[in-house]
Amino acid sequence: MSTIDAVTTPLGGPTLPQERRLVTEIPGPRSQELLARKAAAVAAGVGHTVPIEAVAAGGGVVVDADGNSLIDLGSGIAVTTVGNAHPAVVAAVQAQAAQFTHTCFMISPYESYVAVAEALNRLTPGDHAKKSALFNSGAEAVENAVKIARKHTGRQAVVAFDHGYHGRTNLTMALTAKSMPYKSGFGPFAPEVYRAPASYPFRDGLSGADAAARAISLLEKQIGADNLAAVLIEPVQGEGGFIVPADGFLNALVDWCRAHGVVFIADEVQTGFARTGALFASERFGIVPDLITTAKGIAGGLPLAAVTGRAEIMDAAHPGGLGGTYGGNPVACAAALAAIAAFEDDDLPARARQLETVLKNRLAALQQSDPRIGDVRGLGAMVAVEFADPVTKAPDAALAAAVAKACIAKGVIVLTCGTYGNVIRFLPPLSIGDDLLNEGLDVVASALADTR
Ligand code: PMP
C-alpha cells in the first residue's frame, strides 16, 4: 500500500494493518503542516506530546497523515480501552446519530441514559442500592461527586492526596496536587480542600496500615471528622505516577470514613472499565466506595462521565441541582452501552491481566539489566516504570523524557507521568496483540539502551 493509499483510506478499527511502519521521520511533512496550523490557531496552553496528525486508529496502532503506523501504548490516556473505533461502538454511534443527536436529558429523557445508569449501578462494587448521574468529563464527575457528598453530609471540607490528579476545572485544580502544569498561575482555588499524605511504597516504605494512620492523624488533627464531607482518592494514582498503594491503605481509609460518616469517593476515571484487570480497581483492593467517579474508558472514546453510588447519598441533591446541557448525550450513551457489552461479553478484565503479565515480565527483566529503573509497578494494563538514581532514588525526569521521545521517534506512543515527571506509563488498548505489545517493549528497551 502506498503512503497516499494509507492516507486516503484511513479506515480505523481492527481492519487497520497491525504493524509498526515508519515511512517518514516523525513528524512527517503532512503532520508538520498541521502542527504549524495548530501553533497559529490553537491556544498555546493546549499542548500535545506526540507530534503527528492522527487520521486513523484501531487494534493497537495509530496511523498518521504521512502513512506512519505507530504502536499505541497510551490509548489516548486510558480512553480507548475496548479498542479505538471498536466496531460495535461505531455501529451504535452511527445508529443513534441517525435517530437523534440530542434532546437534553433534563428536558426529554431517553432510554440509553437510564440503561447506562442501570449498568453502572449493577457493575460497580457493592450490592447496596445505587443510583447514577451522567456528565461529560472526568473533572465534571469529580465536581459533582463533591457536590453530592457536601449536600448529603451538610459538611464542607474535602480531602485529596499528595500525587492526586482530578482535573483542570477550578474545584478539581484545587483537588489536584501538582502545580506545574496543572495549577500554576490559575488560582485562587476553591476553598475547604485539604491534602493528606498518600501511600507511595517505593518512596515512603510504609506499610498500608502505617500510611493510613499517618493520613488519618492529619484528618483528625487538621480538619476533624465533623467538618469533613468526603475523602477523595484514585485507587491507583494515575497522573501522579501509577502509584499502587500498599496493601490495606485504602481499606483503612474506607473503614475510618464509614465510622465517621465521611463519604469515601473513589476516582476511577483512569482506573475504571477493565483497565486494572478488574472492571473497577476498587475490586482489586477489596473496597466498596460510597461514590465512584468514572469517565475515559466508559464509552470507547466518546465523551461521557458518571457518578455512581449509594442511593441515599446520590439522592441528597434536590431536583435540578445536578445535570448539564450535554450530560449523558444519547450518542455517548449508545457508545457506552456498546463498550460495556464488550467489557462484559469479551471478559476484557481477563485480557488486562494477561497484558499485566507481559508488561511486568518484560519490564522486570529490563530493570534487572538497568538499575536506573527504580520501580516497576501497576495493575492490569496500567503499568509503569519509575526512573531514579540507583543509590539516592533521586527522580530522573530527564531520562524518562529522553526515552519517551526516542520511543515516539521510533514509532511507539508512550506517555510520561509522575509528580517528579520521571515515570513512563504503559496503557495499551486491550485490543492490542501480544506481538505488537512485545515489539513496542523491544523499542522501549532499545531506546533506554541508547541513553547509556
Ligand atoms: N480524575 C482522574 C483520576 C484522571 O486521570 C483524570 C484525567 N486524566 C480526571 C479526573 C479528569 O478527567 P477529564 O480530563 O475527563 O476531565
Side-chain angles (χ1 to χ4, degrees):
M1 191 195 288
S2 76
T3 303
I4 296 304
D5 287 340
V7 174
T8 52
T9 54
L11 285 176
T15 54
L16 272 184
Q18 294 299 297
E19 62 185 11
R20 180 170 66 105
R21 183 181 69 236
L22 290 181
V23 295
T24 69
E25 299 214 317
I26 304 278
R30 290 192 183 209
S31 294
Q32 284 179 29
E33 246 173 67
L34 183 75
L35 297 177
R37 282 172 56 199
K38 175 185 180 254
V42 179
V46 185
H48 64 265
T49 57
V50 181
I52 59 167
E53 177 188 346
V55 294
V61 297
V62 175
V63 173
D64 77 8
D66 296 289
N68 299 301
S69 173
L70 290 81
I71 298 176
D72 182 10
L73 302 185
S75 301
I77 321 186
V79 170
T80 53
T81 311
V82 287
N84 215 315
H86 185 288
V89 171
V90 172
V93 165
Q94 286 173 337
Q96 179 57 48
Q99 208 66 28
F100 64 95
T101 50
H102 176 79
T103 63
C104 187
F105 189 76
M106 302 183 304
I107 305 296
S108 312
Y110 37 88
E111 201 259 347
S112 56
Y113 184 121
V114 177
V116 170
E118 288 168 347
L120 288 165
N121 299 343
R122 174 170 61 83
L123 294 171
T124 47
D127 50 15
H128 48 277
K130 288 177 227 152
K131 288 196 172 180
S132 292
L134 304 185
F135 305 96
N136 302 295
S137 68
E140 211 188 335
V142 171
E143 292 244 357
N144 278 280
V146 170
K147 280 168 64 173
I148 292 164
R150 283 178 168 156
K151 193 74 201 282
H152 169 73
T153 57
R155 307 170 184 170
Q156 294 186 352
V158 180
V159 161
F161 287 79
D162 287 340
H163 315 290
Y165 180 88
H166 302 286
R168 286 179 165 91
T169 58
N170 187 265
L171 175 57
T172 57
M173 276 193 295
L175 294 163
T176 290
K178 190 172 173 176
S179 173
M180 201 60 187
Y182 307 125
K183 305 168 72 165
S184 185
F186 298 138
F189 303 113
E192 284 305 309
V193 171
Y194 299 83
R195 191 164 312 287
S199 165
Y200 195 159
F202 175 64
R203 293 204 170 271
D204 64 25
L206 294 179
S207 70
D210 287 349
R214 180 176 67 172
I216 288 166
S217 158
L218 181 144
L219 312 192
E220 289 178 337
K221 302 280 179 326
Q222 296 189 21
I223 308 161
D226 289 353
N227 301 306
L228 186 53
V231 164
L232 167 71
I233 192 164
E234 305 154 77
V236 177
Q237 292 183 308
E239 303 304 312
F242 278 28
I243 305 164
V244 183
D247 282 349
F249 174 72
L250 294 171
N251 312 68
L253 287 180
V254 170
D255 290 347
W256 184 86
C257 285
R258 210 133 290 158
H260 294 89
V262 175
V263 177
F264 183 92
I265 307 171
D267 182 349
E268 294 237 22
V269 165
Q270 188 154 168
T271 53
F273 294 100
R275 179 52 58 188
T276 65
L279 219 35
F280 298 94
S282 295
E283 297 165 44
R284 293 213 58 174
F285 298 98
I287 59 167
V288 176
D290 298 312
L291 300 181
I292 294 189
T293 55
T294 52
K296 290 192 186 276
I298 187 174
L302 277 284
L304 188 70
V307 182
T308 300
R310 294 183 189 281
E312 68 275 17
I313 300 178
M314 291 297 296
D315 278 340
H318 46 273
L322 306 178
T325 305
Y326 294 116
N329 168 274
V331 181
C333 285
L337 292 173
I340 290 168
F343 286 121
E344 288 199 277
D345 299 347
D346 303 341
D347 195 5
L348 290 183
R351 178 65 187 143
R353 293 193 297 276
Q354 288 169 356
L355 294 179
E356 174 176 347
T357 304
V358 175
L359 284 161
K360 283 194 172 160
N361 285 345
R362 291 290 309 270
L363 296 169
L366 207 55
Q367 185 185 27
Q368 287 295 313
S369 62
D370 196 328
R372 297 174 300 173
I373 297 180
D375 199 20
V376 176
R377 58 176 179 255
L379 290 175
M382 185 175 182
V383 173
V385 293
E386 174 162 358
F387 295 105
D389 183 282
V391 179
T392 64
K393 285 195 183 177
D396 194 344
L399 181 57
V403 173
K405 194 166 172 228
C407 287
I408 290 164
K410 292 170 186 245
V412 178
I413 296 176
V414 294
L415 312 175
T416 59
C417 65
T419 294
Y420 313 108
N422 63 330
V423 176
I424 289 187
R425 51 175 154 173
F426 301 96
L427 288 162
L430 302 182
S431 52
I432 196 170
D434 285 8
D435 290 352
L436 210 55
L437 176 59
N438 274 305
E439 186 181 339
L441 294 170
D442 290 342
V443 169
V444 173
S446 86
L448 183 61
D450 288 349
T451 63
R452 299 197 84 146

